Amino acid sequence: MKRIGMVFAFEYMGYLKNKTFRVTTVVLLAIIILAAFFPQIRGAFQKITSGGDDGNDMALLIVSGEAASGESTSFANADALTEITVGYEWETGDVSDDPKEAVAEEGYDVALVYDGGASYRLYGSSYDFGLYGLIEVLDSYFTNADRETALRDLSPDARSAAEQVLGITVSGEIVSVSGADAGDGADAGTNFFLSYILLYLLFMVMIMYGQFVISSVVNEKSTKAMEILITSAKPIQLMFGKVLGVGCAAMTQLLLIIAAAVAGLFLNFGNWKEQMPDIASGIESTNLSPSLVIFFLLFFAGGYLLYAFIYAGLGSTVSKIEDAGAVTTLPQIFVIIAFFISVFGMTNLDAIYVKVLSYIPFFSPFIMFARVCMGEADYLHGVIALLILAPTIILFAWLAAKIYRIGVMMYGKPLKLKEIFKIAVARR
Amino acid sequence: MIEVSRLTKNFGKTRALDSLNFTVKDGVAFGLLGRNGAGKTTCIRIIMDIFRADDGRVTIDGAPSYKSPYKIGYLPEERGLYQKRVILEQMIYIGRLRGLSAREAPRKARERLEELEASEYADRKLDTLSKGNQQKIQLAIALINDPDIIILDEPFSGLDPVNAGLLKEIVRKQARQGKTVIFSSHQMAQVEEFCDDICLIDKGKSVLEGNLERIKKSYPRNIVYFEPGADWAGDPIPSLRSSMGPSVRDVCARKSGYLVTLASPDDRGALLRALGEIGVVPEAFMVQEPTLEEIFIGKVGDDPAKEGAPRGDADSEGGKRSRGGLFGRAKKDRSGKIGSSERGKRS
């Protein structure tokens, strides 16, 4: 145990002192902080791309037909529209203007033809998805304006009655029913955003830090440090110390990133709310309970350990980092499959294959975590998956130690997976 | 006492060790000698419990080597450590893994570096050092925890003469302190002067084992080297041949002396008398013992009787190919000549 601690400390400090590791951390932090300021950056970027003006799309309003003459349609004017439509700068066109031409040739992004009555026509590029939002805004603006005009013509009594009628609104509230058999499941739907982020972190850790474990093992072989090491400590101590050391280095990096992300979002949340309301409300509605945090840490640690031991065992059989790919592809495919099932399965967590896979150790850190996080499975199922995961980790640590013991002294041609398997199951 | 008995190890179809036996007494410098691929490193790795033997065992004072309570210092053949880490840091790490306390480890590390005249490298990264200096660091690490038994696998390869001398001094010092030193080598000239006992391995088997002095003495003492001295001019070869007849088998000139192969060690007196007759008062006259290198080549070198054995690598490394031939003969005729060389100066 003491030796595992020494190896751990040596490995961990090695990462903290390592220049590449530090630079990567700083770069990642910079990216995260930039991302937290995404709304402002996007705004600035739009200003630049739209040629120095305030970044608004140009829109042409053509009032024609009976609306053109009537005083009652004065609400259809460019200033009013510019006010209510975010991101559009309206200009008033002439009745004789051709809206198609205006969009196709004169540099307008949209053209609106309003001739009174219950309909108007919006001309624009079919690739412009902004039109769907715009038409919603315009619909309600014209509807309200029409109604107000109509109300003005009524007698006072009739007007107040109508106003009452129009004032009735009904609004709905979403009540989640998944994770049915207890209140202790996390809140589905609202946690979609959180699940996605955490799953992505998990995926990154398994792939990136798994690579750290492998290169650390292979490096000791290729620099020939291994022989000194395995005559100074037991292979299993070296392997555990290394896996934990890399794990903690990973944790340190991750916590820094998470802290930067949280701090960045917190400081800048006003801008997110204003500019990207969908994501902001996703973040606001996230329900991060303490038990969910514990689950995340357990699945995170369990998943990391399981894959790290596999990587360490397999990595010990190669002597050059270039050869590492040959043995690590298989576990990496497992990680990728687990990640994609958990991400794509998030909308369909009821599917039987998702349920089954969520108990299988190689997948459970992703899939069961997703299910718990989304409130699809209650905590009991999460605990069961963890109870299956734990002995699997021990089994694979044991197998990996056996491979490690023999693998570290093997130089030359990398072993095939079949040969490695033979070593793992051999009696001595 | 370290006993290696019936040690057998196969790698796939290759037999690396074939029932190897030898004994290392306490407090001696023991040379495990053999050509490249003879099985030296495999044997050492089994002693270090890096590999397990297929058969046979290694015991230290009767107990299996991997359960031994003794501290073992080990310099592997494959040398290397963390290239990008500070040297002192690595030394402390290994020292700690080998059981030194957090307080002792830095002190011992500095002591060892000082002994090896490498203190200035303590705070540098390993990859900033030359290969020879990296090797010194390795040696410092091997000795960091004051081991009772020191195992050095090819300790001289890569060292310049000054550093090789430094290493020899350290090995001698350790042996004087009663520690057991085992080292392997294929460079016989390097290890000759401080081997107490040797074991010569060939193809995984022990072919010669015992005290080096005694082994040398066991070779026939019929080869004599003499130097006639600077004032004596002339060629003694024709007169020696004629005066001694069949008692002289061979005479050959060396740089400042002559090497005479006699029919029997008893003819040494006759040789002295014959020299006196032609007016030579020898400045040097001594029985020529075979060098370790000659014994080595005689045992495992270029020998057509051994199927397909290629010329020894040791040969080429010593740059003295001509000897292989001589000892090929020596092998075939054990009681006869065991060698001649340009070695006069050295003895």
Side-chain angles (χ1 to χ4, degrees), chain B residues 3 38 135 330:
Chain B
E3 272 178 295
Q135 190 153 329

Side-chain angles (χ1 to χ4, degrees), chain B residues 24-195:
Chain B
V24 185
K25 293 196 237 25
D26 292 339
V28 300
F30 183 89
L32 197 56
L33 312 176
R35 286 166 40 174
N36 295 349
K40 303 182 295 281
T41 297
T42 305
C43 173
I44 285 177
R45 284 181 175 169
I46 291 173
I47 296 175
M48 291 307 300
D49 197 38
I50 295 170
F51 296 150
R52 290 277 161 89
D54 295 337
D55 196 15
R57 58 196 202 130
V58 180
T59 57
I60 300 178
D61 287 350
S65 64
Y66 50 89
K67 285 187 189 160
S68 162
Y70 293 108
K71 289 185 283 183
I72 301 181
Y74 176 46
L75 175 74
E77 185 196 23
E78 300 277 14
R79 309 208 221 292
L81 265 176
Y82 299 96
Q83 294 291 321
K84 299 278 173 204
R85 305 285 296 259
V86 173
I87 285 164
L88 192 67
E89 207 176 274
Q90 310 198 32
M91 293 184 70
I92 293 170
Y93 175 48
I94 303 288
R96 296 272 285 130
L97 286 180
R98 292 197 175 153
L100 292 179
S101 73
R103 250 208 358 241
E104 278 174 313
R107 187 169 56 79
K108 296 266 183 199
R110 287 195 188 277
E111 269 175 32
R112 290 294 162 275
L113 286 174
E114 212 158 295
E115 261 175 27
L116 282 158
E117 298 165 13
S119 297
E120 75 229 64
Y121 305 132
D123 298 319
R124 281 175 49 181
K125 287 187 181 167
L126 191 65
D127 62 355
T128 63
L129 264 59
S130 71
K131 221 179 156 197
N133 281 329
Q134 288 195 20
Q135 190 153 329
K136 276 164 92 172
I137 304 299
Q138 298 273 335
L139 187 68
I141 288 175
L143 300 175
I144 195 164
N145 60 339
D146 290 326
D148 308 303
I149 299 166
I150 299 157
I151 299 181
L152 311 170
D153 200 350
E154 298 282 357
F156 293 103
S157 67
L159 290 184
D160 65 38
V162 176
N163 282 323
L166 203 61
L167 171 61
K168 283 178 193 171
E169 197 41 59
I170 287 166
V171 172
R172 270 193 216 107
K173 192 174 140 197
Q174 300 285 342
R176 267 204 304 278
Q177 289 170 2
K179 294 180 177 177
T180 304
V181 184
I182 300 177
F183 54 88
S184 78
S185 185
H186 61 261
Q187 289 158 293
M188 302 305 128
Q190 287 269 14
V191 298
E192 178 157 19
E193 2 176 342
F194 63 90
C195 271

Side-chain angles (χ1 to χ4, degrees), chain B residues 248-263:
Chain B
V248 172
R249 284 208 188 152
D250 192 22
V251 185
C252 45
R254 288 287 174 264
K255 205 172 169 192
S256 47
Y258 295 87
L259 204 60
V260 185
T261 311
L262 300 166

